[in-house]
């Protein structure tokens, strides 16, 4: 097992990894940018090294700075968290060349899944159901027209190097296609330096359902159910729940087994998330994320597993510590992403937190970077806390969420916490009746946020 792990990240995910290291008897090394000196991850880690200025490019994204910190500290392995360098295959390869273990998948799997066209081709060949569309890159308008006529409108043009909704364009008919095709390619080129695009049938009101998988790189792989991440705003998830309110145990084991079998075939190593659009009771693969996700705690809650411990064990060469039959879904979990943003427009609101009080009690988990006197910085992601509730049923989880929110105190900055009180009292939410567009439609009505 590793003696020392460097965490190439900040915020709550750095805390999450440091906590796992502590429980495993592994020394943790935090890295930080100069303004992050007072942050919780630096305070909580055993050692810390400054890696550069506020700008992420020169600190948390700087491969030379992070490798230097790793060599100075003598760490055996690096955990990338999520974001920053977590899905950078070049980074994973350089670490391997330096005999530093990257706690994550093989670089080849990172790059295969990072390119959406090659991910879709691979998943389709592995028997995972995909959205109907082009076989690969669509390189001319004529080709775009042919494939669109075949799959029928509406269609969506997507960037192969895309993510976060960038480079996506919808065409409702043949006349809208030239503009959609050209602007998708232009945006793809300027945003990602790669103009490759592909075409899919546009699904109108799907849910976003993702399957958690885990492999040990030795040919064993399991699934840990699904998360419903349909509640989002501008491609940012707002609230996630596991299990999905619309998935039965038969459907769960069917799609889960398809995903786990695919991961066994490629000998996938580490945590992965296979994303689907779910529409008319059918799953359509869209993308795979080769990292631990923000919303992993809800899966940990309902399956009673420590995904970060498992990532570390597997990176050190051990086989999976659980088999599929050990993984029993228990109860229901909900995660709320509390951002330092002011409602109703979600404007970033950094600043000094005078008072912070986290909720507690049965079934509550608070993964937060806050402490009374902490100054939320304007340079990074606005996520300041994840409130995770776990209860025997969805109904009880929603009651528990309301109770937890009533205990929460964050004074000095504006946060999105109030939104979750509104959601937990909303009829559609309580009925599990929502899709990927539901929240944005609700937020476009000024009355929605004024009820409480
Ligand atoms: C789609 C889609 C409808 N049909 N693909 C948005 C980001 C990227 N990860 C995939 N996205 C979508 N792909 C087809 N064929 C609708 C979306 C989409 C979406 C997906 C998941 C969660 C929120 C979303 C919000 C708007 C659009």
């Amino acid at each position: 097992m590793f003696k020392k792990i460097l965490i190439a990240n900040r915020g709550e995910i750095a805390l999450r990894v440091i906590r796992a290291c502590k429980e495993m008897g592994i020394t943790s090394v935090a890295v930080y940018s100069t303004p992050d000196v007072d942050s919780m991850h630096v305070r909580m880690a055993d050692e810390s090294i400054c890696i550069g200025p506020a700008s992420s490019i020169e600190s948390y994204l700087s491969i030379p700075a992070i490798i230097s910190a790793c060599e100075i500290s003598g760490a055996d392995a690096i955990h990338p968290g999520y974001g920053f360098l977590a899905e950078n295959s070049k980074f994973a390869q350089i670490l391997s060349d330096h005999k530093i273990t990257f706690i994550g998948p093989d670089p080849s799997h990172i790059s295969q899944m990072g390119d959406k066209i090659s991910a879709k081709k691979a998943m389709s060949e592995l028997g995972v159901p995909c959205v109907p569309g082009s076989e690969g890159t669509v390189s001319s308008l004529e080709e775009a027209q042919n494939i669109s006529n075949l799959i029928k409108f509406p269609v969506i043009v997507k960037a192969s190097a895309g993510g976060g909704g960038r480079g996506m364009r919808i065409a409702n008919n043949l006349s809208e296609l030239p503009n959609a095709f050209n602007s998708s390619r232009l945006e793809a080129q300027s945003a990602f330096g790669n103009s490759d695009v592909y075409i899919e049938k546009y699904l109108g009101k799907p849910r976003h359902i993702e399957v958690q998988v885990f492999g040990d790189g030795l040919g064993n792989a399991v699934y840990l159910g699904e998360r419903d991440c349909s509640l989002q705003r501008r491609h940012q998830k707002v609230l996630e729940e596991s299990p999905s309110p619309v998935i039965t145990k038969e459907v769960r084991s069917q799609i889960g087994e398809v995903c786990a079998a695919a991961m066994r075939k490629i000998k996938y190593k580490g945590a992965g998330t296979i994303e689907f659009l779910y529409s008319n009771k059918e799953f359509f693969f869209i993308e795979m994320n080769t990292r631990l996700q923000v919303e992993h705690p809800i899966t940990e809650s309902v399956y009673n597993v420590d995904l970060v411990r498992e990532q570390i064990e597997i990176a050190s060469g051990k086989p999976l510590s659980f088999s599929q039959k050990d993984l029993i879904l228990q109860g229901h979990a909900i995660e709320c992403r509390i951002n330092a943003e002011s409602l109703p427009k979600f404007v970033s609101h950094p600043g000094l937190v005078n008072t912070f009080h986290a909720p507690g009690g049965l079934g509550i988990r608070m993964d937060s970077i806050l402490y009374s006197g902490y100054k939320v910085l304007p340079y990074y992601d606005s996520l300041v806390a994840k409130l995770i509730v776990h209860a025997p049923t969805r109904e009880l989880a929603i009651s528990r969420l309301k109770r937890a929110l009533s205990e929460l105190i964050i004074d000095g900055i504006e946060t999105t916490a109030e939104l979750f009180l509104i959601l937990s009292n909303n009829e559609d939410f309580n009925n599990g009746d929502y899709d990927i567009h539901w929240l944005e439609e609700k937020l476009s009505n000024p009355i929605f946020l004024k009820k409480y």
Side-chain angles (χ1 to χ4, degrees):
M1 181 43 66
F2 310 119
K3 288 194 168 61
K4 200 184 261 198
I5 292 176
L6 181 142
I7 299 99
N9 215 305
R10 65 181 302 284
E12 60 80 25
I13 196 61
L15 303 187
R16 175 68 189 87
V17 179
I18 293 165
R19 286 172 169 143
C21 289
K22 285 219 163 106
E23 293 179 14
M24 296 174 81
I26 298 168
T27 305
S28 55
V29 182
V31 294
Y32 63 98
S33 64
T34 39
D36 255 341
V37 65
D38 294 322
S39 49
M40 212 46 200
H41 77 287
V42 175
R43 296 188 173 196
M44 211 188 268
D46 296 312
E47 299 173 15
S48 61
I49 299 181
C50 182
I51 51 166
S55 160
S56 298
I57 303 277
E58 296 171 82
S59 52
Y60 299 105
L61 284 168
S62 167
I63 297 176
I66 285 165
I67 292 186
S68 303
C70 191
E71 307 221 300
I72 289 164
S73 68
D76 320 298
I78 295 185
H79 195 300
Y82 54 70
F84 295 124
L85 298 168
E87 289 172 289
N88 184 321
S89 60
K90 213 178 74 191
F91 178 60
Q93 185 58 55
I94 292 170
L95 291 191
S96 155
D97 298 341
H98 282 73
K99 309 278 182 267
I100 300 165
T101 304
F102 175 75
I103 302 174
D106 292 337
S108 64
H109 289 145
I110 300 175
S111 59
Q112 179 176 49
M113 299 307 172
D115 180 280
K116 312 297 173 216
I117 291 174
S118 79
K120 213 176 156 186
K121 183 168 184 289
M123 288 303 218
S124 169
E125 285 167 3
L126 288 161
V128 177
C130 296
V131 190
S134 61
E135 290 249 335
T137 312
V138 176
S139 32
S140 70
L141 179 58
E142 193 193 346
E143 209 185 314
Q145 286 163 338
N146 291 340
I147 185 70
S148 300
N149 283 327
L150 207 68
I151 62 175
K152 307 266 189 297
F153 286 92
V155 300
I156 183 165
V157 187
K158 293 183 176 182
S160 189
R166 284 221 284 182
M168 279 181 13
R169 292 291 185 281
I170 300 162
N172 289 297
N173 52 55
L174 201 54
S175 75
E176 288 179 9
L177 191 59
N179 186 45
F181 179 71
N182 292 325
S183 48
S184 173
R185 273 170 54 112
L186 275 171
E187 191 173 330
Q189 181 59 45
S190 68
F192 314 112
N194 174 353
S195 65
D196 286 1
V197 298
Y198 61 110
I199 291 183
E200 287 181 345
K201 174 87 180 170
Y202 179 70
L203 305 175
K205 296 214 152 236
R207 296 177 81 106
H208 172 118
I209 295 181
E210 55 185 36
V211 174
Q212 176 73 55
V213 291
F214 221 104
D216 60 12
L218 306 165
N220 305 303
V222 295
Y223 65 89
L224 296 100
E226 78 289 351
R227 296 182 287 258
D228 198 318
C229 307
S230 303
L231 291 175
Q232 58 84 42
R233 178 185 174 271
R234 302 198 179 164
H235 302 293
Q236 297 285 352
K237 291 166 188 167
V238 168
L239 177 153
E240 308 94 352
E241 54 181 322
S242 183
S244 166
V246 299
I247 300 298
T248 64
K249 63 177 188 293
E250 291 77 20
V251 172
R252 175 171 310 114
S253 63
Q254 191 268 329
I255 191 68
E257 200 37 63
V258 167
C259 292
M263 295 303 102
R264 275 175 218 125
K265 273 186 230 158
I266 64 170
K267 290 197 162 66
Y268 185 76
K269 182 168 71 195
T273 298
I274 305 184
E275 292 189 353
F276 294 94
L277 296 178
Y278 183 75
S279 179
N280 298 319
K281 304 195 171 175
E282 267 193 278
F283 283 95
F284 301 96
F285 169 78
I286 46 169
E287 291 169 23
M288 176 166 180
N289 302 320
T290 55
R291 61 163 192 274
L292 186 74
Q293 302 219 163
V294 177
E295 59 272 24
H296 76 277
I298 55 176
T299 301
E300 296 189 316
S301 295
V302 295
Y303 282 95
N304 190 31
V305 294
D306 182 336
L307 290 174
V308 178
R309 171 186 275 267
E310 199 66 18
Q311 284 188 298
I312 295 169
E313 295 276 4
I314 278 161
S316 82
K318 298 215 179 85
L320 269 175
S321 76
F322 35 71
S323 64
Q324 195 63 56
K325 68 166 179 12
D326 302 325
L327 295 168
I328 299 156
L329 173 63
Q330 274 183 331
H332 195 94
I334 299 173
E335 174 181 274
C336 301
R337 296 193 189 192
I338 299 172
N339 290 342
E341 293 169 0
S342 62
L343 294 173
K345 294 188 154 188
F346 297 84
V347 176
S348 176
H349 195 289
L352 182 67
V353 176
N354 301 309
T355 309
F356 172 63
H357 177 79
L362 185 62
I364 305 292
R365 168 174 172 183
M366 187 78 162
D367 282 17
S368 172
I369 60 166
L370 298 178
Y371 59 83
S372 297
Y374 176 68
K375 203 169 172 187
V376 177
L377 299 175
Y379 318 109
Y380 310 104
D381 194 283
S382 63
L383 183 74
V384 293
K386 302 191 304 200
L387 170 59
I388 302 108
V389 299
H390 183 212
T393 65
R394 186 172 189 270
E395 220 182 347
L396 290 167
I398 295 172
S399 303
R400 186 157 282 168
L401 174 58
K402 292 183 209 170
R403 191 270 290 169
L405 288 166
S406 77
E407 293 178 18
L408 173 67
I409 301 170
I410 304 174
D411 271 351
I413 59 164
E414 299 273 321
T415 77
T416 54
E418 192 77 7
L419 172 63
F420 303 106
L421 203 54
I422 293 163
L423 283 172
S424 57
N425 283 296
N426 178 275
E427 186 183 343
D428 289 345
F429 177 70
N430 274 269
N431 293 332
D433 187 11
Y434 57 82
D435 60 47
I436 60 170
H437 304 297
W438 182 87
L439 181 59
E440 296 201 76
E441 276 161 25
K442 289 288 159 188
L443 289 170
S444 71
N445 181 352
I447 303 294
F448 181 69
L449 288 175
K450 286 206 181 118
K451 262 192 204 161
Y452 290 90

